[in-house]
Amino acid sequence: MNSVDTSTDTAHVVICTTGGTITASTTPAGVVAGDSDAATQAMLDGLRTVLPGSVRVSARTLLDADSSTFGPAEWDRVVDAVADVLTDPGVSGVVLTHGTDTLEETAMALDLHHTDPRPVAVTGAQLPADHPEADGPANLLDAVLLAADPVSRDLGVLVVLGRAILQARGVRKWHTTESVAFARNAPDLPVEDLPPELERPTLSGRARFAGTRVDVVSCPPGSDAVALRACVEAGARGLVLEGSGSGNLPPLVAEAVAELSVERPDVVVAIASRVPRGEATATYSGPGGGAELATRGVLSCGYLRPGQARVLLTALCSLTDAADPTEGAAEIRRQWPRFHLYS
């Protein structure tokens, strides 16, 4: 699926495909289903008819599945593939086509590793390729033009859908069907006023997500600690708890977290918020309040919501290779402030 003649005067963008709605079609029963390589080829052929002559594209098929089936193993595969593409100095940028269900996690995994100045744009679609108002072609064109543009350098991984361009950290799918599918939860500050913590810190090495268990546990009002304890017994090295407000927990969950801090200090616990926007902080007192939990080593997830916080915590657990698991967990807690406003 490589494009034809090359030229040193043209920007070369590599499109890495993983399936998703952007190449899906609708069955006679009205069900959206993944399509074959032919749909991907048709997508690329259509793209080439509208691209300016200053941009050429080639493509690599990485995966071909609904992104709801993706997890740590797929994050590893995508991170490796994008890094491999960027070993070619002739590549100007990368576009990753991805299903929107779990796009925010994959984008986070990529961004944590992305130290190359060349842009990586992640895009997808809300409507299948055979829909009369399919949004995939416009999203793909926008993503390719962005990845080819030198102005996009040094911005990290960018999510491009519905004419919106968003930096990866803090991104979350906010609507199941609308074309503007994603919003970004981040500090509302002018670029010149951003503190050093917002300079997109990256990992110190290559994380391996597969094989490192970190679970997300929802903690709605009145919930108990059954799910939390089950995750620990299953071997979780970290837990992201979805609390309320700025990061507060129900009494029974807070009690279990306090016990866990004594019984299993090797398990890292972080608290995110179920609130769509704003920061989770160690603010409130009381047994379930963030301030009290912080005294027990519990981390606040800042502007990240549970999905991306899980990716970050998994990466840090993967990179911490301490002989003593308790010391390893303590090292993760020491590293966390590096990512603190986005974590």
Side-chain angles (χ1 to χ4, degrees):
M1 290 188 286
N2 289 338
S3 59
V4 287
D5 296 338
T6 65
S7 167
T8 56
D9 297 327
T10 61
H12 177 201
V13 174
V14 177
I15 302 171
C16 296
T17 66
T18 66
T21 302
I22 195 168
T23 53
S25 60
T26 308
T27 70
V31 176
V32 176
D35 213 325
S36 63
D37 289 343
T40 301
Q41 187 61 58
M43 175 185 72
L44 294 170
D45 290 344
L47 172 68
R48 291 187 177 112
T49 65
V50 295
L51 274 178
S54 58
V55 180
R56 68 182 181 92
V57 293
S58 59
R60 295 190 186 186
T61 300
L62 307 185
L63 298 159
D64 185 14
D66 191 308
S67 73
S68 64
T69 67
F70 292 1
E74 286 73 26
W75 304 340
D76 280 329
R77 187 166 174 179
V78 170
V79 170
D80 284 342
V82 171
D84 182 64
V85 168
L86 291 173
T87 60
D88 181 353
V91 170
S92 307
V94 178
V95 168
L96 176 72
T97 62
H98 197 287
T100 58
D101 280 6
T102 63
L103 184 150
E104 63 204 68
E105 283 89 355
T106 301
M108 182 67 173
L110 281 168
D111 198 51
L112 286 170
H113 291 91
H114 189 52
T115 58
D116 194 292
R118 289 170 290 179
V120 173
V122 186
T123 193
Q126 291 283 72
L127 297 171
D130 61 347
H131 193 281
E133 299 177 356
D135 56 331
N139 288 339
L140 182 61
L141 176 61
D142 286 346
V144 169
L145 294 177
L146 186 76
D149 194 333
V151 76
S152 304
R153 292 173 66 89
D154 294 307
L155 295 178
V157 175
L158 302 169
V159 175
V160 184
L161 273 102
R163 308 315 302 267
I165 300 170
L166 305 168
Q167 287 185 289
R169 299 190 197 193
V171 158
R172 193 179 194 190
K173 187 171 183 179
W174 79 282
H175 202 284
T176 57
T177 56
E178 286 189 3
S179 60
V180 183
F182 291 85
R184 184 168 179 259
N185 184 38
D188 188 17
L189 294 172
V191 173
E192 61 271 17
D193 293 337
L194 290 179
E197 293 93 336
L198 297 190
E199 293 178 358
R200 208 180 60 83
T202 52
L203 298 170
S204 59
R206 172 65 172 90
R208 290 291 162 186
F209 295 101
T212 303
R213 181 170 188 140
V214 171
D215 289 314
V216 175
V217 180
S218 177
C219 304
S223 58
D224 58 26
V226 171
L228 180 155
R229 294 191 183 283
C231 291
V232 173
E233 291 173 7
R237 291 185 59 188
L239 298 172
V240 177
L241 307 182
E242 184 182 63
S244 58
S246 59
N248 307 305
L249 297 175
L252 292 178
V253 179
E255 180 181 324
V257 170
E259 293 171 358
L260 193 67
S261 69
V262 176
E263 299 167 0
R264 293 292 306 274
D266 57 308
V267 177
V268 181
V269 179
I271 299 186
S273 176
R274 67 178 185 172
V275 181
R277 296 188 67 81
E279 189 175 9
T281 57
T283 301
Y284 287 89
S285 63
E292 171 67 20
L293 294 166
T295 67
R296 302 182 182 278
V298 176
L299 305 169
S300 292
C301 287
Y303 287 91
L304 294 185
R305 290 311 180 249
Q308 289 196 334
R310 177 188 174 218
V311 173
L312 174 60
L313 186 51
T314 304
L316 293 177
C317 287
S318 164
L319 289 171
T320 304
D321 185 21
D324 180 355
T326 299
E327 176 53 36
E331 175 59 26
I332 292 168
R333 295 185 185 100
R334 285 191 288 268
Q335 291 182 42
W336 195 262
R338 277 194 65 219
F339 300 89
H340 122 92
L341 284 176
Y342 278 126
S343 60

